[in-house]
mmCIF file with all atom_site columns, all heavy atoms in Angstrom:
data_model
loop_
_atom_site.group_PDB
_atom_site.id
_atom_site.type_symbol
_atom_site.label_atom_id
_atom_site.label_alt_id
_atom_site.label_comp_id
_atom_site.label_asym_id
_atom_site.label_entity_id
_atom_site.label_seq_id
_atom_site.pdbx_PDB_ins_code
_atom_site.Cartn_x
_atom_site.Cartn_y
_atom_site.Cartn_z
_atom_site.occupancy
_atom_site.B_iso_or_equiv
_atom_site.pdbx_formal_charge
_atom_site.auth_seq_id
_atom_site.auth_comp_id
_atom_site.auth_asym_id
_atom_site.auth_atom_id
_atom_site.pdbx_PDB_model_num
ATOM 1   N N   . CYS A 1 1  ? 18.629 48.231 7.148  1.00 0.00 ? 1  CYS A N   1
ATOM 2   C CA  . CYS A 1 1  ? 18.833 47.129 8.100  1.00 0.00 ? 1  CYS A CA  1
ATOM 3   C C   . CYS A 1 1  ? 20.225 46.517 8.063  1.00 0.00 ? 1  CYS A C   1
ATOM 4   O O   . CYS A 1 1  ? 20.515 45.608 8.838  1.00 0.00 ? 1  CYS A O   1
ATOM 5   C CB  . CYS A 1 1  ? 17.799 46.024 7.837  1.00 0.00 ? 1  CYS A CB  1
ATOM 6   S SG  . CYS A 1 1  ? 16.091 46.561 8.024  1.00 0.00 ? 1  CYS A SG  1
ATOM 7   N N   . LYS A 1 2  ? 21.094 46.994 7.152  1.00 0.00 ? 2  LYS A N   1
ATOM 8   C CA  . LYS A 1 2  ? 22.388 46.335 6.992  1.00 0.00 ? 2  LYS A CA  1
ATOM 9   C C   . LYS A 1 2  ? 23.554 47.316 6.952  1.00 0.00 ? 2  LYS A C   1
ATOM 10  O O   . LYS A 1 2  ? 23.446 48.397 6.380  1.00 0.00 ? 2  LYS A O   1
ATOM 11  C CB  . LYS A 1 2  ? 22.405 45.509 5.686  1.00 0.00 ? 2  LYS A CB  1
ATOM 12  C CG  . LYS A 1 2  ? 21.552 44.257 5.729  1.00 0.00 ? 2  LYS A CG  1
ATOM 13  C CD  . LYS A 1 2  ? 22.144 43.214 6.671  1.00 0.00 ? 2  LYS A CD  1
ATOM 14  C CE  . LYS A 1 2  ? 21.330 41.938 6.697  1.00 0.00 ? 2  LYS A CE  1
ATOM 15  N NZ  . LYS A 1 2  ? 21.894 40.956 7.657  1.00 0.00 ? 2  LYS A NZ  1
ATOM 16  N N   . VAL A 1 3  ? 24.671 46.913 7.531  1.00 0.00 ? 3  VAL A N   1
ATOM 17  C CA  . VAL A 1 3  ? 25.914 47.654 7.385  1.00 0.00 ? 3  VAL A CA  1
ATOM 18  C C   . VAL A 1 3  ? 26.546 47.270 6.048  1.00 0.00 ? 3  VAL A C   1
ATOM 19  O O   . VAL A 1 3  ? 26.119 46.311 5.403  1.00 0.00 ? 3  VAL A O   1
ATOM 20  C CB  . VAL A 1 3  ? 26.882 47.357 8.546  1.00 0.00 ? 3  VAL A CB  1
ATOM 21  C CG1 . VAL A 1 3  ? 26.251 47.703 9.876  1.00 0.00 ? 3  VAL A CG1 1
ATOM 22  C CG2 . VAL A 1 3  ? 27.343 45.901 8.522  1.00 0.00 ? 3  VAL A CG2 1
ATOM 23  N N   . CYS A 1 4  ? 27.569 48.020 5.637  1.00 0.00 ? 4  CYS A N   1
ATOM 24  C CA  . CYS A 1 4  ? 28.260 47.751 4.369  1.00 0.00 ? 4  CYS A CA  1
ATOM 25  C C   . CYS A 1 4  ? 29.701 47.318 4.645  1.00 0.00 ? 4  CYS A C   1
ATOM 26  O O   . CYS A 1 4  ? 30.438 48.054 5.309  1.00 0.00 ? 4  CYS A O   1
ATOM 27  C CB  . CYS A 1 4  ? 28.289 48.996 3.490  1.00 0.00 ? 4  CYS A CB  1
ATOM 28  S SG  . CYS A 1 4  ? 26.686 49.642 3.030  1.00 0.00 ? 4  CYS A SG  1
ATOM 29  N N   . ILE A 1 5  ? 30.083 46.172 4.126  1.00 0.00 ? 5  ILE A N   1
ATOM 30  C CA  . ILE A 1 5  ? 31.474 45.717 4.229  1.00 0.00 ? 5  ILE A CA  1
ATOM 31  C C   . ILE A 1 5  ? 32.179 46.190 2.964  1.00 0.00 ? 5  ILE A C   1
ATOM 32  O O   . ILE A 1 5  ? 31.992 45.633 1.883  1.00 0.00 ? 5  ILE A O   1
ATOM 33  C CB  . ILE A 1 5  ? 31.564 44.185 4.367  1.00 0.00 ? 5  ILE A CB  1
ATOM 34  C CG1 . ILE A 1 5  ? 30.577 43.675 5.417  1.00 0.00 ? 5  ILE A CG1 1
ATOM 35  C CG2 . ILE A 1 5  ? 33.008 43.786 4.693  1.00 0.00 ? 5  ILE A CG2 1
ATOM 36  C CD1 . ILE A 1 5  ? 30.752 44.279 6.782  1.00 0.00 ? 5  ILE A CD1 1
ATOM 37  N N   . LEU A 1 6  ? 33.001 47.235 3.081  1.00 0.00 ? 6  LEU A N   1
ATOM 38  C CA  . LEU A 1 6  ? 33.619 47.842 1.908  1.00 0.00 ? 6  LEU A CA  1
ATOM 39  C C   . LEU A 1 6  ? 35.010 47.292 1.613  1.00 0.00 ? 6  LEU A C   1
ATOM 40  O O   . LEU A 1 6  ? 35.522 47.467 0.517  1.00 0.00 ? 6  LEU A O   1
ATOM 41  C CB  . LEU A 1 6  ? 33.688 49.358 2.078  1.00 0.00 ? 6  LEU A CB  1
ATOM 42  C CG  . LEU A 1 6  ? 32.330 50.061 2.150  1.00 0.00 ? 6  LEU A CG  1
ATOM 43  C CD1 . LEU A 1 6  ? 32.518 51.561 2.272  1.00 0.00 ? 6  LEU A CD1 1
ATOM 44  C CD2 . LEU A 1 6  ? 31.486 49.741 0.935  1.00 0.00 ? 6  LEU A CD2 1
ATOM 45  N N   . LYS A 1 7  ? 35.610 46.660 2.605  1.00 0.00 ? 7  LYS A N   1
ATOM 46  C CA  . LYS A 1 7  ? 36.942 46.095 2.401  1.00 0.00 ? 7  LYS A CA  1
ATOM 47  C C   . LYS A 1 7  ? 37.134 44.947 3.376  1.00 0.00 ? 7  LYS A C   1
ATOM 48  O O   . LYS A 1 7  ? 36.806 45.074 4.550  1.00 0.00 ? 7  LYS A O   1
ATOM 49  C CB  . LYS A 1 7  ? 38.016 47.163 2.621  1.00 0.00 ? 7  LYS A CB  1
ATOM 50  C CG  . LYS A 1 7  ? 39.429 46.742 2.260  1.00 0.00 ? 7  LYS A CG  1
ATOM 51  C CD  . LYS A 1 7  ? 40.406 47.894 2.457  1.00 0.00 ? 7  LYS A CD  1
ATOM 52  C CE  . LYS A 1 7  ? 41.814 47.493 2.077  1.00 0.00 ? 7  LYS A CE  1
ATOM 53  N NZ  . LYS A 1 7  ? 42.303 46.326 2.882  1.00 0.00 ? 7  LYS A NZ  1
ATOM 54  N N   . GLU A 1 8  ? 37.625 43.838 2.884  1.00 0.00 ? 8  GLU A N   1
ATOM 55  C CA  . GLU A 1 8  ? 37.917 42.694 3.745  1.00 0.00 ? 8  GLU A CA  1
ATOM 56  C C   . GLU A 1 8  ? 39.328 42.824 4.308  1.00 0.00 ? 8  GLU A C   1
ATOM 57  O O   . GLU A 1 8  ? 40.216 43.422 3.690  1.00 0.00 ? 8  GLU A O   1
ATOM 58  C CB  . GLU A 1 8  ? 37.789 41.387 2.951  1.00 0.00 ? 8  GLU A CB  1
ATOM 59  C CG  . GLU A 1 8  ? 36.378 41.085 2.462  1.00 0.00 ? 8  GLU A CG  1
ATOM 60  C CD  . GLU A 1 8  ? 35.422 40.709 3.578  1.00 0.00 ? 8  GLU A CD  1
ATOM 61  O OE1 . GLU A 1 8  ? 35.872 40.517 4.734  1.00 0.00 ? 8  GLU A OE1 1
ATOM 62  O OE2 . GLU A 1 8  ? 34.208 40.611 3.307  1.00 0.00 ? 8  GLU A OE2 1
ATOM 63  N N   . GLY A 1 9  ? 39.538 42.272 5.489  1.00 0.00 ? 9  GLY A N   1
ATOM 64  C CA  . GLY A 1 9  ? 40.859 42.307 6.103  1.00 0.00 ? 9  GLY A CA  1
ATOM 65  C C   . GLY A 1 9  ? 40.909 41.384 7.305  1.00 0.00 ? 9  GLY A C   1
ATOM 66  O O   . GLY A 1 9  ? 39.869 40.981 7.827  1.00 0.00 ? 9  GLY A O   1
ATOM 67  N N   . LYS A 1 10 ? 42.115 41.087 7.773  1.00 0.00 ? 10 LYS A N   1
ATOM 68  C CA  . LYS A 1 10 ? 42.251 40.120 8.867  1.00 0.00 ? 10 LYS A CA  1
ATOM 69  C C   . LYS A 1 10 ? 42.927 40.698 10.121 1.00 0.00 ? 10 LYS A C   1
ATOM 70  O O   . LYS A 1 10 ? 42.861 40.101 11.191 1.00 0.00 ? 10 LYS A O   1
ATOM 71  C CB  . LYS A 1 10 ? 43.023 38.885 8.392  1.00 0.00 ? 10 LYS A CB  1
ATOM 72  C CG  . LYS A 1 10 ? 44.453 39.143 7.950  1.00 0.00 ? 10 LYS A CG  1
ATOM 73  C CD  . LYS A 1 10 ? 45.110 37.854 7.494  1.00 0.00 ? 10 LYS A CD  1
ATOM 74  C CE  . LYS A 1 10 ? 46.589 38.017 7.187  1.00 0.00 ? 10 LYS A CE  1
ATOM 75  N NZ  . LYS A 1 10 ? 46.897 39.046 6.182  1.00 0.00 ? 10 LYS A NZ  1
ATOM 76  N N   . ASP A 1 11 ? 43.572 41.867 10.012 1.00 0.00 ? 11 ASP A N   1
ATOM 77  C CA  . ASP A 1 11 ? 44.283 42.424 11.163 1.00 0.00 ? 11 ASP A CA  1
ATOM 78  C C   . ASP A 1 11 ? 43.371 43.175 12.124 1.00 0.00 ? 11 ASP A C   1
ATOM 79  O O   . ASP A 1 11 ? 43.575 43.137 13.343 1.00 0.00 ? 11 ASP A O   1
ATOM 80  C CB  . ASP A 1 11 ? 45.392 43.375 10.705 1.00 0.00 ? 11 ASP A CB  1
ATOM 81  C CG  . ASP A 1 11 ? 46.565 42.636 10.095 1.00 0.00 ? 11 ASP A CG  1
ATOM 82  O OD1 . ASP A 1 11 ? 46.802 41.474 10.485 1.00 0.00 ? 11 ASP A OD1 1
ATOM 83  O OD2 . ASP A 1 11 ? 47.243 43.206 9.221  1.00 0.00 ? 11 ASP A OD2 1
ATOM 84  N N   . ALA A 1 12 ? 42.385 43.897 11.583 1.00 0.00 ? 12 ALA A N   1
ATOM 85  C CA  . ALA A 1 12 ? 41.498 44.705 12.416 1.00 0.00 ? 12 ALA A CA  1
ATOM 86  C C   . ALA A 1 12 ? 40.243 45.057 11.638 1.00 0.00 ? 12 ALA A C   1
ATOM 87  O O   . ALA A 1 12 ? 40.258 45.141 10.404 1.00 0.00 ? 12 ALA A O   1
ATOM 88  C CB  . ALA A 1 12 ? 42.203 45.979 12.868 1.00 0.00 ? 12 ALA A CB  1
ATOM 89  N N   . SER A 1 13 ? 39.154 45.256 12.377 1.00 0.00 ? 13 SER A N   1
ATOM 90  C CA  . SER A 1 13 ? 37.912 45.759 11.796 1.00 0.00 ? 13 SER A CA  1
ATOM 91  C C   . SER A 1 13 ? 37.792 47.233 12.160 1.00 0.00 ? 13 SER A C   1
ATOM 92  O O   . SER A 1 13 ? 37.749 47.582 13.337 1.00 0.00 ? 13 SER A O   1
ATOM 93  C CB  . SER A 1 13 ? 36.704 44.998 12.351 1.00 0.00 ? 13 SER A CB  1
ATOM 94  O OG  . SER A 1 13 ? 36.757 43.629 12.036 1.00 0.00 ? 13 SER A OG  1
ATOM 95  N N   . VAL A 1 14 ? 37.757 48.097 11.156 1.00 0.00 ? 14 VAL A N   1
ATOM 96  C CA  . VAL A 1 14 ? 37.583 49.523 11.393 1.00 0.00 ? 14 VAL A CA  1
ATOM 97  C C   . VAL A 1 14 ? 36.149 49.890 11.029 1.00 0.00 ? 14 VAL A C   1
ATOM 98  O O   . VAL A 1 14 ? 35.711 49.688 9.898  1.00 0.00 ? 14 VAL A O   1
ATOM 99  C CB  . VAL A 1 14 ? 38.580 50.367 10.582 1.00 0.00 ? 14 VAL A CB  1
ATOM 100 C CG1 . VAL A 1 14 ? 38.358 51.856 10.857 1.00 0.00 ? 14 VAL A CG1 1
ATOM 101 C CG2 . VAL A 1 14 ? 40.012 49.972 10.931 1.00 0.00 ? 14 VAL A CG2 1
ATOM 102 N N   . ILE A 1 15 ? 35.426 50.422 12.001 1.00 0.00 ? 15 ILE A N   1
ATOM 103 C CA  . ILE A 1 15 ? 34.001 50.713 11.852 1.00 0.00 ? 15 ILE A CA  1
ATOM 104 C C   . ILE A 1 15 ? 33.815 52.217 11.860 1.00 0.00 ? 15 ILE A C   1
ATOM 105 O O   . ILE A 1 15 ? 34.264 52.911 12.779 1.00 0.00 ? 15 ILE A O   1
ATOM 106 C CB  . ILE A 1 15 ? 33.188 50.052 12.983 1.00 0.00 ? 15 ILE A CB  1
ATOM 107 C CG1 . ILE A 1 15 ? 33.415 48.535 12.962 1.00 0.00 ? 15 ILE A CG1 1
ATOM 108 C CG2 . ILE A 1 15 ? 31.714 50.384 12.868 1.00 0.00 ? 15 ILE A CG2 1
ATOM 109 C CD1 . ILE A 1 15 ? 32.742 47.787 14.105 1.00 0.00 ? 15 ILE A CD1 1
ATOM 110 N N   . THR A 1 16 ? 33.140 52.749 10.850 1.00 0.00 ? 16 THR A N   1
ATOM 111 C CA  . THR A 1 16 ? 33.012 54.190 10.707 1.00 0.00 ? 16 THR A CA  1
ATOM 112 C C   . THR A 1 16 ? 31.756 54.536 9.914  1.00 0.00 ? 16 THR A C   1
ATOM 113 O O   . THR A 1 16 ? 30.989 53.659 9.507  1.00 0.00 ? 16 THR A O   1
ATOM 114 C CB  . THR A 1 16 ? 34.278 54.766 10.032 1.00 0.00 ? 16 THR A CB  1
ATOM 115 O OG1 . THR A 1 16 ? 34.225 56.195 10.053 1.00 0.00 ? 16 THR A OG1 1
ATOM 116 C CG2 . THR A 1 16 ? 34.410 54.275 8.595  1.00 0.00 ? 16 THR A CG2 1
ATOM 117 N N   . ASN A 1 17 ? 31.545 55.829 9.682  1.00 0.00 ? 17 ASN A N   1
ATOM 118 C CA  . ASN A 1 17 ? 30.446 56.309 8.829  1.00 0.00 ? 17 ASN A CA  1
ATOM 119 C C   . ASN A 1 17 ? 30.682 57.780 8.506  1.00 0.00 ? 17 ASN A C   1
ATOM 120 O O   . ASN A 1 17 ? 31.675 58.375 8.924  1.00 0.00 ? 17 ASN A O   1
ATOM 121 C CB  . ASN A 1 17 ? 29.077 56.091 9.494  1.00 0.00 ? 17 ASN A CB  1
ATOM 122 C CG  . ASN A 1 17 ? 28.924 56.810 10.821 1.00 0.00 ? 17 ASN A CG  1
ATOM 123 O OD1 . ASN A 1 17 ? 29.658 57.745 11.136 1.00 0.00 ? 17 ASN A OD1 1
ATOM 124 N ND2 . ASN A 1 17 ? 27.970 56.374 11.619 1.00 0.00 ? 17 ASN A ND2 1
ATOM 125 N N   . GLY A 1 18 ? 29.767 58.383 7.749  1.00 0.00 ? 18 GLY A N   1
ATOM 126 C CA  . GLY A 1 18 ? 29.874 59.806 7.437  1.00 0.00 ? 18 GLY A CA  1
ATOM 127 C C   . GLY A 1 18 ? 31.162 60.172 6.729  1.00 0.00 ? 18 GLY A C   1
ATOM 128 O O   . GLY A 1 18 ? 31.748 59.374 5.991  1.00 0.00 ? 18 GLY A O   1
ATOM 129 N N   . GLU A 1 19 ? 31.629 61.396 6.980  1.00 0.00 ? 19 GLU A N   1
ATOM 130 C CA  . GLU A 1 19 ? 32.825 61.917 6.306  1.00 0.00 ? 19 GLU A CA  1
ATOM 131 C C   . GLU A 1 19 ? 34.072 61.076 6.529  1.00 0.00 ? 19 GLU A C   1
ATOM 132 O O   . GLU A 1 19 ? 34.943 61.005 5.659  1.00 0.00 ? 19 GLU A O   1
ATOM 133 C CB  . GLU A 1 19 ? 33.128 63.330 6.810  1.00 0.00 ? 19 GLU A CB  1
ATOM 134 C CG  . GLU A 1 19 ? 32.129 64.385 6.428  1.00 0.00 ? 19 GLU A CG  1
ATOM 135 C CD  . GLU A 1 19 ? 32.398 65.655 7.206  1.00 0.00 ? 19 GLU A CD  1
ATOM 136 O OE1 . GLU A 1 19 ? 31.977 65.715 8.375  1.00 0.00 ? 19 GLU A OE1 1
ATOM 137 O OE2 . GLU A 1 19 ? 33.026 66.563 6.643  1.00 0.00 ? 19 GLU A OE2 1
ATOM 138 N N   . THR A 1 20 ? 34.179 60.461 7.680  1.00 0.00 ? 20 THR A N   1
ATOM 139 C CA  . THR A 1 20 ? 35.413 59.745 7.998  1.00 0.00 ? 20 THR A CA  1
ATOM 140 C C   . THR A 1 20 ? 35.553 58.432 7.237  1.00 0.00 ? 20 THR A C   1
ATOM 141 O O   . THR A 1 20 ? 36.631 57.839 7.232  1.00 0.00 ? 20 THR A O   1
ATOM 142 C CB  . THR A 1 20 ? 35.531 59.478 9.511  1.00 0.00 ? 20 THR A CB  1
ATOM 143 O OG1 . THR A 1 20 ? 34.319 58.881 9.993  1.00 0.00 ? 20 THR A OG1 1
ATOM 144 C CG2 . THR A 1 20 ? 35.780 60.780 10.261 1.00 0.00 ? 20 THR A CG2 1
ATOM 145 N N   . LEU A 1 21 ? 34.490 57.973 6.578  1.00 0.00 ? 21 LEU A N   1
ATOM 146 C CA  . LEU A 1 21 ? 34.603 56.740 5.797  1.00 0.00 ? 21 LEU A CA  1
ATOM 147 C C   . LEU A 1 21 ? 35.657 56.881 4.707  1.00 0.00 ? 21 LEU A C   1
ATOM 148 O O   . LEU A 1 21 ? 36.495 55.992 4.510  1.00 0.00 ? 21 LEU A O   1
ATOM 149 C CB  . LEU A 1 21 ? 33.249 56.351 5.194  1.00 0.00 ? 21 LEU A CB  1
ATOM 150 C CG  . LEU A 1 21 ? 33.267 55.126 4.269  1.00 0.00 ? 21 LEU A CG  1
ATOM 151 C CD1 . LEU A 1 21 ? 33.791 53.889 4.989  1.00 0.00 ? 21 LEU A CD1 1
ATOM 152 C CD2 . LEU A 1 21 ? 31.879 54.861 3.701  1.00 0.00 ? 21 LEU A CD2 1
ATOM 153 N N   . ALA A 1 22 ? 35.647 57.990 3.986  1.00 0.00 ? 22 ALA A N   1
ATOM 154 C CA  . ALA A 1 22 ? 36.630 58.199 2.918  1.00 0.00 ? 22 ALA A CA  1
ATOM 155 C C   . ALA A 1 22 ? 38.047 58.236 3.492  1.00 0.00 ? 22 ALA A C   1
ATOM 156 O O   . ALA A 1 22 ? 38.978 57.654 2.909  1.00 0.00 ? 22 ALA A O   1
ATOM 157 C CB  . ALA A 1 22 ? 36.336 59.499 2.177  1.00 0.00 ? 22 ALA A CB  1
ATOM 158 N N   . GLU A 1 23 ? 38.209 58.893 4.638  1.00 0.00 ? 23 GLU A N   1
ATOM 159 C CA  . GLU A 1 23 ? 39.531 58.978 5.264  1.00 0.00 ? 23 GLU A CA  1
ATOM 160 C C   . GLU A 1 23 ? 40.027 57.596 5.684  1.00 0.00 ? 23 GLU A C   1
ATOM 161 O O   . GLU A 1 23 ? 41.211 57.263 5.523  1.00 0.00 ? 23 GLU A O   1
ATOM 162 C CB  . GLU A 1 23 ? 39.480 59.913 6.475  1.00 0.00 ? 23 GLU A CB  1
ATOM 163 C CG  . GLU A 1 23 ? 38.972 61.314 6.185  1.00 0.00 ? 23 GLU A CG  1
ATOM 164 C CD  . GLU A 1 23 ? 39.852 62.099 5.239  1.00 0.00 ? 23 GLU A CD  1
ATOM 165 O OE1 . GLU A 1 23 ? 41.087 61.881 5.246  1.00 0.00 ? 23 GLU A OE1 1
ATOM 166 O OE2 . GLU A 1 23 ? 39.313 62.938 4.487  1.00 0.00 ? 23 GLU A OE2 1
ATOM 167 N N   . VAL A 1 24 ? 39.127 56.783 6.215  1.00 0.00 ? 24 VAL A N   1
ATOM 168 C CA  . VAL A 1 24 ? 39.490 55.425 6.638  1.00 0.00 ? 24 VAL A CA  1
ATOM 169 C C   . VAL A 1 24 ? 39.885 54.577 5.431  1.00 0.00 ? 24 VAL A C   1
ATOM 170 O O   . VAL A 1 24 ? 40.870 53.837 5.472  1.00 0.00 ? 24 VAL A O   1
ATOM 171 C CB  . VAL A 1 24 ? 38.320 54.765 7.400  1.00 0.00 ? 24 VAL A CB  1
ATOM 172 C CG1 . VAL A 1 24 ? 38.543 53.255 7.535  1.00 0.00 ? 24 VAL A CG1 1
ATOM 173 C CG2 . VAL A 1 24 ? 38.162 55.395 8.776  1.00 0.00 ? 24 VAL A CG2 1
ATOM 174 N N   . LEU A 1 25 ? 39.139 54.674 4.347  1.00 0.00 ? 25 LEU A N   1
ATOM 175 C CA  . LEU A 1 25 ? 39.441 53.879 3.159  1.00 0.00 ? 25 LEU A CA  1
ATOM 176 C C   . LEU A 1 25 ? 40.808 54.237 2.572  1.00 0.00 ? 25 LEU A C   1
ATOM 177 O O   . LEU A 1 25 ? 41.565 53.359 2.146  1.00 0.00 ? 25 LEU A O   1
ATOM 178 C CB  . LEU A 1 25 ? 38.344 54.079 2.104  1.00 0.00 ? 25 LEU A CB  1
ATOM 179 C CG  . LEU A 1 25 ? 37.016 53.380 2.393  1.00 0.00 ? 25 LEU A CG  1
ATOM 180 C CD1 . LEU A 1 25 ? 35.928 53.879 1.452  1.00 0.00 ? 25 LEU A CD1 1
ATOM 181 C CD2 . LEU A 1 25 ? 37.154 51.866 2.284  1.00 0.00 ? 25 LEU A CD2 1
ATOM 182 N N   . ILE A 1 26 ? 41.136 55.527 2.563  1.00 0.00 ? 26 ILE A N   1
ATOM 183 C CA  . ILE A 1 26 ? 42.443 55.954 2.061  1.00 0.00 ? 26 ILE A CA  1
ATOM 184 C C   . ILE A 1 26 ? 43.557 55.437 2.977  1.00 0.00 ? 26 ILE A C   1
ATOM 185 O O   . ILE A 1 26 ? 44.576 54.915 2.506  1.00 0.00 ? 26 ILE A O   1
ATOM 186 C CB  . ILE A 1 26 ? 42.500 57.495 1.954  1.00 0.00 ? 26 ILE A CB  1
ATOM 187 C CG1 . ILE A 1 26 ? 41.537 57.979 0.871  1.00 0.00 ? 26 ILE A CG1 1
ATOM 188 C CG2 . ILE A 1 26 ? 43.918 57.965 1.658  1.00 0.00 ? 26 ILE A CG2 1
ATOM 189 C CD1 . ILE A 1 26 ? 41.320 59.487 0.876  1.00 0.00 ? 26 ILE A CD1 1
#
């Protein structure tokens, strides 16, 4: 029932899942 907030930030919210999550975090 919940999404995961893995990193806080103020410039933009990047929303992803699956394989691309690791790429986004890097």
Side-chain angles (χ1 to χ4, degrees):
C1 299
K2 288 291 182 182
V3 302
C4 300
I5 313 303
L6 296 182
K7 188 177 181 301
E8 295 290 351
K10 63 180 186 304
D11 287 331
S13 298
V14 180
I15 301 176
T16 188
N17 60 19
E19 292 169 280
T20 50
L21 176 58
E23 304 296 328
V24 166
L25 286 168
I26 293 169

